[in-house]
Amino acid sequence: MKGIPAAALLALGLTGCSVYRDATATRPPAGWSWRKVMTEADADRIRSWRRAWDDALAPAKAAAPAAIAAEPDLFDPDRALSAGMPPAGEYRCRTFKLGSQQPLTPYFAAYPAGRCRITVQGQETHFVRVDGEQRPNGLIYTNTDARPMFIGVMVLGDETAPLRYGVDQTRDMIGYVERIGEARWRLVLPYPGFESKLDVIELTPAG
């Protein structure tokens, strides 16, 4: 599914709030596979997941060796256990950014824990970061037992609704979910649109 770039919307005269209003809302049709939903740009990103780890992990280790060493399972590219789909519920989530897209961006950043939520409606498993300035929002798709896929968008600041996937490539997100321990998962996002070369979001049940 290929979305309409934001620049094209602007060319049609949709500016300011109207762009945001017209570009939000709908989800992909129920029952579509993640391969049918993803854009061509995101297909390239997910094909390069191993290269993203290679590009991001080495400089992160050099910048913050103790932090990386303290989480061997979280930062092991090949750590993936069976039953990768996390159940519905409230989660405590921590975001780590590895590697850098820009000279002034640090090679490793760890953010305070926040709130995430997974809900299931029919065939859809929905993941959302509830709080914070950067809030991934999207669907987790059945794939292999060990690696469900995630496709969504980044919601920023005081925005109240996510952009429709495919409207803005810098907001589009693709990644995969893996279980890395007892009641512990991670969402891995290769080459996100902002700051890092790899984002890793740790998920553990809240409470």
Side-chain angles (χ1 to χ4, degrees), residues 99-159:
S100 175
Q101 297 184 28
Q102 300 160 337
L104 298 180
T105 304
Y107 289 114
F108 177 83
Y111 292 86
R115 296 169 52 223
C116 290
R117 179 178 298 131
I118 293 176
T119 56
V120 178
Q121 286 187 312
Q123 300 179 60
E124 291 187 348
T125 298
H126 183 213
F127 170 83
V128 61
R129 169 79 188 241
V130 177
D131 57 5
E133 290 298 308
Q134 296 185 15
R135 303 183 300 282
N137 187 316
L139 298 179
I140 302 175
Y141 293 82
T142 300
N143 184 38
T144 65
D145 176 66
R147 181 175 281 184
M149 302 301 295
F150 171 80
I151 291 180
V153 296
M154 179 67 79
V155 182
L156 298 175
D158 61 355
E159 294 172 350

Side-chain angles (χ1 to χ4, degrees), residues 31-115:
W32 279 23
S33 72
W34 64 273
R35 289 184 176 86
K36 188 171 183 179
V37 171
M38 69 179 173
T39 62
E40 292 179 8
D42 276 355
D44 290 339
R45 280 199 259 195
I46 201 62
R47 277 194 294 265
S48 301
W49 70 269
R50 170 62 73 174
R51 179 162 57 86
W53 272 106
D54 292 342
D55 286 349
L57 190 55
K61 282 182 177 178
I68 297 295
E71 298 286 358
D73 292 341
L74 186 62
F75 298 125
D76 176 0
D78 298 311
R79 178 72 173 173
L81 305 176
S82 61
M85 180 69 78
E90 300 291 325
Y91 287 81
R92 178 180 182 268
C93 47
R94 294 192 298 164
T95 298
F96 300 86
K97 292 180 174 288
L98 281 63
S100 175
Q101 297 184 28
Q102 300 160 337
L104 298 180
T105 304
Y107 289 114
F108 177 83
Y111 292 86
R115 296 169 52 223

